[in-house]
Amino acid sequence: MRNSSHTAHSTLPRLPVPTLQQTLDKYLKSIRPLVSADEYRNTERLVQQFRSDVGIGPKLQRLLEEKADESENWLADWWLHNTYLASRSPVVVHSNPGLVMPGQTFRSTDDRLRCASRMILGALDYKRLVDDGRLPQETIGKLPVDMAQHGKIFGTCRIPVADVDQLVFASNTSSGLSPRHIVVAHRNNFFKVNVYGGDGNILGEDVLLSLLNRIVELGERGPPVGILTAQNRDVWAKVYREMRQSVRNERTLSEIQKSLFLVCLDGPNETSGLNYQTTAALQMVHGGGADVNSGNRWFDKTVQFVIGENGEVGLCYEHSPSEGPPIASISDHVADFISGKRTTETSSAIAVADRVPELLKFDVSESIRSAIEDAKQNVAALVGDLDMACSTFEPFGKNFIKSQKLSPDSFIQVAMQLAFFSDSQRVGSDLRNGFHSSVPSRTDGGDSFGHLGSAGVLSDDVRWKSIV
């Protein structure tokens, strides 16, 4: 029986359009901490001209309202275009988040590959829940939220195109047929693995384990073609066009793009004296560089599950098709499979062709080889420029923050502003989640909190009230 997660979409209200007055009032409030008194007075004058009957504001407001009448969400395509697809920065570090799951203990290669098999099972079981509409309906308070993004994380890939990238959704083709394979990356090689049996059910854990063992037995290291996906988007788009001129490359690229997701069986990490949490986080974000695991990725793929040799488990995801909640949800589901808390119905009918992983080969010309070398240098710079130190904050978590009637997200943003001010003695905007390309606006309240909190003149009670 289908859950309301399939049916709630049609009953959700459309995104409302704020009035012109609301928009301009919020704009003035947002810029006030950023400008001088004279600059603010001049901005007020320009805003008054903009909103007047002879200004362009009312006309633009009418056009916005017309767009809202013709679409479910007037902001969605602009957000996707401007925040993600039009960005020319590398997706690595700049926009692709990493997520670390509970660490594992691997005493053997078989232990690691069994963990990988369970990750695959968990992800495929989650896809089945999505396809059947059986995911529990998510809410904010008592209000249902749109869950369409859950269906966009499988079989999805970002394609490099000059100026503005594209997204391809293999699971949403006109044929209605979803891909039946995943791609496994090992030692920079990519293998196509069919994960469904002849009866349409998911292959069992032991069968998946056997397939992964076959891949690991092919131990020769391949050229790090995947590192090209970590390049500047226009640079990668040019190389991508050249690669597609080869029939072999065209097919390999297509198989990677259409795959439900990637599974990256990584080699050893460079720890450099970092603690386990930090090492695992960096592995999920960028892979450590070309000489470590960054070539064992396809950073354009929406979901890449990562399994390290020392128990590191997690994922890296390309952000444009989905915000955080669907990724967090599938991660929890997969973690339950790894721990053995969950299982699923699997296939008893295995086609002969499904028993052999297929090595997806690339034709690597001299110009592509040169592009790979350039990408390696670019990734090395990204890796070297990212400082990270992870630890666990023990005193309280999100439940306590919510009990104080605060948003955990806003709480962390204000905490980051306070930390930045304490260190630099100036107020700066905080970068949401450490990766997001949108920067939340500062406010007078946030500035005051930063100045007074850093000076140590606020009591705990006053600090709480100033955040609220």
Side-chain angles (χ1 to χ4, degrees):
M1 182 177 179
R2 294 194 166 216
N3 187 277
S4 57
S5 62
H6 250 324
T7 58
H9 179 83
S10 61
T11 65
L12 293 173
R14 294 185 176 188
L15 182 68
V17 178
T19 65
L20 182 60
Q21 180 76 30
Q22 289 171 327
T23 299
L24 295 179
D25 287 349
K26 184 171 289 187
Y27 169 71
L28 288 172
K29 183 178 181 181
S30 296
I31 64 131
R32 188 160 197 164
L34 304 175
V35 297
S36 66
D38 287 342
E39 289 171 329
Y40 185 75
R41 282 192 292 272
N42 184 54
T43 303
E44 279 188 311
R45 179 181 60 80
L46 294 173
V47 165
Q48 290 300 331
Q49 292 177 2
F50 182 85
R51 83 170 81 198
S52 70
D53 292 339
V54 296
I56 196 174
K59 179 180 179 181
L60 294 176
Q61 180 72 13
R62 287 193 297 272
L63 291 173
L64 179 59
E65 291 168 354
E66 290 175 7
K67 177 178 172 60
D69 289 338
E70 298 169 357
S71 56
E72 290 184 342
N73 187 320
W74 57 266
L75 180 61
D77 54 350
W78 289 339
W79 177 261
L80 177 64
H81 178 280
N82 294 321
T83 306
Y84 297 113
L85 300 184
S87 172
R88 301 292 84 193
S89 297
V91 294
V92 179
V93 174
H94 290 276
S95 62
N96 278 22
L99 187 150
V100 180
M101 299 182 195
Q104 305 296 306
T105 300
F106 301 143
R107 296 182 176 84
S108 65
T109 298
D110 192 73
D111 280 354
R112 183 164 79 115
L113 298 185
R114 187 166 293 280
C115 174
S117 300
R118 291 181 176 181
M119 290 185 80
I120 295 169
L121 279 175
L124 295 175
D125 183 68
Y126 192 86
K127 181 180 184 300
R128 181 154 52 191
L129 294 177
V130 172
D131 292 344
D132 293 345
R134 292 188 289 119
L135 282 179
Q137 175 63 51
E138 295 176 353
T139 61
I140 297 178
K142 296 182 179 180
L143 299 176
V145 298
D146 187 6
M147 296 181 64
Q149 288 187 348
H150 290 266
K152 296 180 180 180
I153 60 179
F154 296 102
T156 306
C157 194
R158 181 167 172 167
I159 307 298
V161 180
D163 298 329
V164 181
D165 289 351
Q166 297 176 353
L167 284 177
V168 294
F169 300 93
S171 291
N172 296 329
T173 59
S174 57
S175 67
L177 298 177
S178 179
R180 295 172 58 85
H181 73 278
I182 65 171
V183 166
V184 177
H186 176 62
R187 294 180 65 82
N188 299 341
N189 294 305
F190 297 91
F191 297 85
K192 178 182 178 181
V193 179
N194 292 319
V195 289
Y196 291 93
D199 57 2
N201 280 324
I202 303 165
L203 296 182
E205 180 180 326
D206 289 340
V207 178
L208 291 171
L209 177 61
S210 175
L211 293 170
L212 295 178
N213 267 305
R214 284 177 177 263
I215 290 172
V216 171
E217 289 167 3
L218 302 172
E220 184 176 348
R221 191 175 181 86
V225 178
I227 208 165
L228 291 168
T229 62
Q231 259 291 22
N232 169 279
R233 301 308 296 176
D234 283 338
V235 174
W236 170 215
K238 182 178 179 180
V239 179
Y240 179 82
R241 288 197 303 271
E242 179 185 347
M243 291 179 67
R244 289 188 62 191
Q245 295 175 11
S246 158
V247 174
R248 171 181 283 177
N249 287 347
E250 172 71 19
R251 180 178 180 274
T252 292
L253 290 168
S254 177
E255 296 291 0
I256 293 173
Q257 291 161 5
K258 292 188 300 183
S259 64
L260 293 171
F261 51 85
L262 251 67
V263 173
C264 305
L265 302 176
D266 276 2
N269 262 325
E270 295 287 339
T271 59
S272 303
L274 301 174
N275 65 25
Y276 176 85
Q277 289 173 292
T278 304
T279 300
L282 292 173
Q283 185 174 6
M284 304 308 150
V285 171
H286 55 52
D291 296 330
V292 189
N293 292 299
S294 296
N296 202 49
R297 299 283 189 278
W298 200 264
F299 288 106
D300 289 349
K301 195 65 185 166
T302 302
V303 175
Q304 299 185 96
F305 294 103
V306 178
I307 304 97
E309 289 191 348
N310 297 318
E312 307 96 339
V313 176
L315 61 81
C316 174
Y317 86 97
E318 199 286 303
H319 210 322
S320 57
S322 171
E323 295 301 319
I327 303 300
S329 182
I330 189 176
S331 298
D332 289 342
H333 195 82
V334 167
D336 284 346
F337 270 76
I338 292 174
S339 66
K341 293 179 181 178
R342 288 178 182 262
T343 186
T344 189
E345 179 184 357
T346 56
S347 178
S348 58
I350 305 166
V352 173
D354 293 333
R355 298 177 183 175
V356 182
E358 176 190 357
L359 174 61
L360 300 173
K361 297 181 179 180
F362 286 100
D363 290 329
V364 182
S365 64
E366 283 303 314
S367 60
I368 294 174
R369 199 176 301 277
S370 175
I372 290 173
E373 291 303 312
D374 289 342
K376 288 166 67 173
Q377 297 301 315
N378 181 63
V379 169
L382 287 171
V383 170
D385 196 42
L386 178 62
D387 292 329
M388 184 180 293
C390 299
S391 60
T392 301
F393 182 75
E394 299 288 356
F396 59 84
K398 67 177 182 180
N399 290 336
F400 173 73
I401 297 173
K402 289 181 177 179
S403 74
Q404 303 300 306
K405 303 188 184 303
L406 300 173
S407 159
D409 187 61
S410 299
F411 179 90
I412 293 299
Q413 290 176 25
V414 172
M416 291 172 66
Q417 289 190 7
L418 175 58
F420 182 87
F421 185 85
S422 298
D423 180 64
S424 65
Q425 295 305 300
R426 62 188 179 90
V427 179
S429 296
D430 59 301
L431 203 57
R432 182 180 167 208
N433 294 334
F435 298 95
H436 211 290
S437 56
S438 68
V439 181
S441 300
R442 283 163 42 186
T443 63
D444 287 334
D447 281 5
S448 299
F449 178 81
H451 284 281
L452 296 175
S454 176
V457 299
L458 294 183
S459 67
D460 289 344
D461 183 61
V462 173
R463 291 189 190 195
W464 279 115
K465 291 179 180 178
S466 67
I467 299 176
V468 177

